[in-house]
Amino acid sequence: MAAASHRAIDRVFALLAGRKNPIVLIDGPSGAGKSTFADELITHWPVEGTPTLIRMDWMYPGWDGLEPAAEALARDLLVPLRRGEPGFWHGYDWERGVVTAATRVEPGRPLVIEGCGTLGPAGNLADLGIWIDAEDTFRKARALARDGEGYVPHWDAWQADFEDYVARWDPRARAGLLLRAEPDRVVPPDREADSSASRS
């Protein structure tokens, strides 16, 4: 992992210091690197116990499912977990176009959830919210390369729904940590990256 990505990971763990079984939500536009960053976060998790990872891609009930999934994340999963009770989430079978059986999530374990919509209704239920910014051109290219030609006809509609979500919830303002995506890594804010570079 690049040194700048290490600094971003270290910043997350510094903000989580002293928190037991934290809930971490990672939001940002499509193609910003949320999935990769979540994987790196879990790989380098510094304490005992591997976090449970949930991807919003598993929860969206179709291409127009951003808001419904964001609402379900809060209502069905995080609100019960914050009460110390089991929560659940429903998956979606993209090939058959049907909602699948619920997956139960027990309290008492770290939780990392990544995807568009995490910092909407559920934003105030996180121990740490992370927003990853990304330049439009490269994130679109990366998203289409990742998800294939099947994403092409849906890109504009998804982006419009995402912009509506941002206007409604202002998820970037709900984040406790802002990061920036580059084509090959996620980095801390410019001033932090520059400061670290000057010490190297």
Side-chain angles (χ1 to χ4, degrees), residues 9 12 23-29 32-42 45 53-56 60 73 111-120 126 128-133 162 165 171 175 177 179 186:
I9 295 282
V12 172
I23 295 173
V24 179
L25 304 181
I26 306 172
D27 205 338
K34 300 180 296 295
S35 297
T36 300
F37 189 72
D39 292 341
E40 292 180 344
L41 196 63
I42 287 174
W45 198 259
L53 172 64
I54 298 173
R55 304 193 192 279
M56 293 294 284
Y60 303 129
L73 173 65
L111 182 61
V112 175
I113 306 174
E114 64 84 12
C116 301
T118 56
L119 292 178
L128 178 62
I130 301 169
W131 178 269
I132 303 178
D133 280 314
F162 181 74
Y165 156 75
L177 177 62
L179 299 175
V186 171

Side-chain angles (χ1 to χ4, degrees), residues 65-152:
L66 192 158
E67 282 282 358
E71 293 168 358
L73 173 65
R75 180 188 65 241
D76 300 333
L77 181 58
L78 296 189
V79 167
L81 288 176
R82 281 304 187 197
R83 292 197 300 252
E85 302 170 359
F88 69 90
W89 58 273
H90 282 282
Y92 184 76
D93 186 322
W94 287 83
E95 292 186 2
R96 294 189 297 145
V98 296
V99 175
T100 60
T103 297
R104 182 183 172 103
V105 178
E106 298 290 341
R109 184 174 176 178
L111 182 61
V112 175
I113 306 174
E114 64 84 12
C116 301
T118 56
L119 292 178
N124 63 347
L125 299 169
D127 290 281
L128 178 62
I130 301 169
W131 178 269
I132 303 178
D133 280 314
E135 193 274 323
D136 287 346
T137 301
F138 95 72
R139 70 176 182 82
K140 180 176 182 180
R142 181 161 61 183
L144 296 181
R146 177 195 64 203
D147 295 335
E149 292 298 314
Y151 195 176
V152 173

